[in-house]
Amino acid sequence: AWVSAGGSHSCAVRTDTTLYCWGRNCEGQLGNGTVVQSDSPVRVGTGSGWVQVSAGSLHTCALHSDPTLWCWGQNYFGQLGIGSTANQKKPVKVGTSPDWVQVSAGGADTCAVRRGHTLWGWGRNLDGQLGVGPSPTQADAPLQVG
């Protein structure tokens, strides 16, 4: 089981590896295909196999056991890491590499670790929070740190 409290929503992976989110949903951060707020947990998709979830301010990312990485919700700064800045109401796969081991969603940015202990960041970088220097000011796809 895993739980994460975000800016205005929370998510949890249950012991049966299903994923649920609840709270504010103005940007689709609950991942259930809507922008309707929910005061009780709503299931993200119909599958299982989730191992970790991280709720950011208005976006969410989760690690699947295969191990692929998926993100959804607000994407104004590219914080979903999917190569665009379009919001997503359901999980979208980050890249094509099945080698993610940990993820942390922030305010408008996301960082994750891959096998081999490499660190990656994407999203807003106005204050250098991606760890790749002051430029670019945002990235809509993962950039390697260091």
Side-chain angles (χ1 to χ4, degrees):
W2 189 281
V3 67
S4 179
S8 57
H9 73 292
S10 298
C11 297
V13 175
R14 294 176 45 154
T15 54
D16 65 0
T17 70
T18 55
L19 178 58
Y20 288 81
C21 294
W22 59 94
R24 189 173 180 199
N25 195 30
C26 57
E27 304 287 348
Q29 62 265 42
L30 299 188
N32 66 342
T34 75
V35 289
V36 178
Q37 178 173 314
S38 179
D39 297 335
S40 60
V42 293
R43 189 165 177 183
V44 178
T46 58
S48 59
W50 298 103
V51 295
Q52 185 200 346
V53 64
S54 183
S57 287
L58 296 170
H59 76 292
T60 308
C61 294
L63 184 65
H64 197 268
S65 61
D66 47 12
T68 53
L69 181 60
W70 300 74
C71 294
W72 58 93
Q74 187 187 75
N75 197 28
Y76 299 156
F77 302 98
Q79 61 263 49
L80 302 185
I82 59 172
S84 78
T85 55
N87 289 2
Q88 301 294 323
K89 297 175 195 168
K90 292 183 177 181
V92 178
K93 191 172 169 183
V94 177
T96 58
S97 299
D99 62 354
W100 299 99
V101 296
Q102 186 177 358
V103 65
S104 181
D109 58 294
T110 306
C111 291
V113 177
R114 288 175 126 159
R115 283 188 190 143
H117 307 288
T118 57
L119 179 62
W120 299 77
W122 57 92
R124 191 171 188 198
N125 193 40
L126 196 60
D127 299 310
Q129 58 266 54
L130 299 186
V132 295
S135 183
T137 56
Q138 71 182 52
D140 63 13
L143 297 175
Q144 188 169 357
V145 178

